[in-house]
Amino acid sequence: MQKTVLITGATDGIGLETAKALTQQGHHILIHGRNPAKINKVVAALSRLSKTAIIESYVADLSTLSEVEALATQIMADHQRLNVLINNAGVYKVSEITTSDNLDVRFVVNTIAPYLLTQKLLPLFDTHGRIVNLSSAAQSPVDLSALISPNAGELDGPVYAQSKLALTMWSIDLANALTNSPATNGLAVIPVNPASFLGSKLVKDAYGVDGNDLAIGADILCRAALSDEFADASGRYFDNDSGLFKDPHNDALDPTKNRKLVEVIEQLLQAKLKVTHSA
């Protein structure tokens, strides 16, 4: 059966490889990117891979909260149902730390934008849907003050590790909330480490190495999105370095800490989007 799958950051790296794989399987792929020229090239390339797949594209800069909100609004207008959301887009090194919303761009793209997009798109999912969030083996305790206020002096590595743990924490919190509601029980939220040091632009920029085959990451994302082996995986962290479901950082196993993180994100979004809407 053809599935409708939204992949953020799908113009290069693991996102693009995942889009290629799902296109070859004949699915309806919604690709997101921030560069219209790159998106057009990707759409043309994907369209040559399958006669049955449907390819659509969306442009948004995920470092700007109003654009994330607009992206969700457009997808809601275009589609009555979404089967899979793969929150793949992420950053490590950036030229400018502070966003137009006066937030740290690394936290925005890696943690806050996928949270906002997911929340806005929840009405499109039925109880068989899946939300796959790209986590990382790099996870460290989240400084909630850094989440809401940019710190230009903070090194990329520590912020990246915090942003990926924060993503994992809200993933588990949301999974639990959905499971506890009869209307959404069955809709899965799955944080996945696609494997360390894959040959993406992020890895090359961060570590100066070519990295391993991107197909390793694309394969696990396709499996997490569609295969039966992940049917009962909601709220469980999958570590593709070991090929197993494992415990994430201890903080993500603490419901109180997860809930506090989500409350901070919600308060942040309420304040920032209220400012945006009144501007």
Side-chain angles (χ1 to χ4, degrees):
M1 180 184 296
Q2 188 181 62
K3 302 285 189 178
T4 301
V5 183
L6 169 61
I7 308 171
T8 65
T11 56
D12 56 33
I14 302 171
L16 176 57
E17 291 305 309
T18 304
K20 289 178 181 177
L22 293 174
T23 297
Q24 289 171 330
Q25 294 176 25
H27 295 293
H28 184 172
I29 311 300
L30 314 182
I31 64 166
H32 154 267
R34 61 178 179 175
N35 184 316
K38 287 181 71 173
I39 287 179
N40 290 337
K41 289 181 180 179
V42 169
V43 170
L46 293 178
S47 299
R48 293 192 289 268
L49 297 178
S50 171
K51 293 182 179 180
T52 57
I54 302 171
I55 310 298
E56 293 183 65
S57 63
Y58 293 86
V59 179
D61 183 347
L62 299 188
S63 70
T64 303
L65 295 176
S66 60
E67 291 200 29
V68 178
E69 196 173 40
L71 171 63
T73 299
Q74 187 60 56
I75 291 171
M76 295 275 288
D78 293 346
H79 299 277
Q80 294 184 331
R81 174 165 294 182
L82 191 61
N83 299 110
V84 180
L85 166 60
I86 301 178
N87 282 308
N88 163 77
V91 296
Y92 188 99
K93 284 189 175 182
V94 292
S95 57
E96 184 64 43
I97 297 295
T98 306
T99 72
S100 57
D101 298 302
N102 196 34
L103 297 168
D104 188 315
V105 66
R106 299 161 295 187
F107 274 117
V108 173
V109 176
N110 297 347
T111 305
I112 301 168
Y115 177 88
L116 175 59
L117 184 63
T118 299
Q119 289 291 330
K120 292 290 185 182
L121 295 179
L122 280 178
L124 295 185
F125 288 93
D126 62 20
T127 55
H128 301 288
R130 294 188 190 177
I131 297 160
V132 181
N133 290 335
L134 262 75
S135 184
S136 171
Q139 300 177 17
S140 65
V142 182
D143 179 354
L144 295 179
S145 65
L147 185 70
I148 62 178
S149 179
N151 183 355
E154 189 66 53
L155 296 176
D156 296 309
V159 172
Y160 181 79
Q162 290 183 59
S163 71
K164 288 301 183 180
L165 177 57
L167 177 75
T168 304
M169 292 171 74
W170 75 246
S171 298
I172 293 173
D173 183 83
L174 178 59
N176 291 336
L178 295 174
T179 299
N180 291 329
S181 170
T184 55
N185 186 13
L187 170 55
V189 186
I190 310 167
V192 175
N193 166 29
S196 300
F197 299 108
L198 297 180
S200 64
K201 181 178 183 295
L202 186 152
V203 166
K204 291 175 183 177
D205 288 346
Y207 303 105
V209 297
D210 289 336
N212 298 319
D213 189 353
L214 287 170
I216 296 170
D219 174 70
I220 192 58
L221 294 187
C222 291
R223 287 162 52 197
L226 301 173
S227 74
D228 290 342
E229 67 182 300
F230 283 82
D232 298 316
S234 190
R236 300 174 66 194
Y237 168 71
F238 188 86
D239 172 41
N240 204 33
D241 287 328
S242 62
L244 299 169
F245 288 101
K246 297 179 68 175
D247 284 344
H249 189 284
N250 283 339
D251 282 4
L253 302 177
D254 185 332
T256 302
K257 288 185 177 181
N258 291 346
R259 178 92 309 249
K260 177 60 177 176
L261 173 88
V262 170
E263 289 173 355
V264 170
I265 294 175
E266 286 283 0
Q267 291 166 4
L268 179 156
L269 290 173
Q270 185 176 22
K272 296 297 181 181
L273 291 175
K274 182 178 180 180
V275 169
T276 300
H277 292 163
S278 63

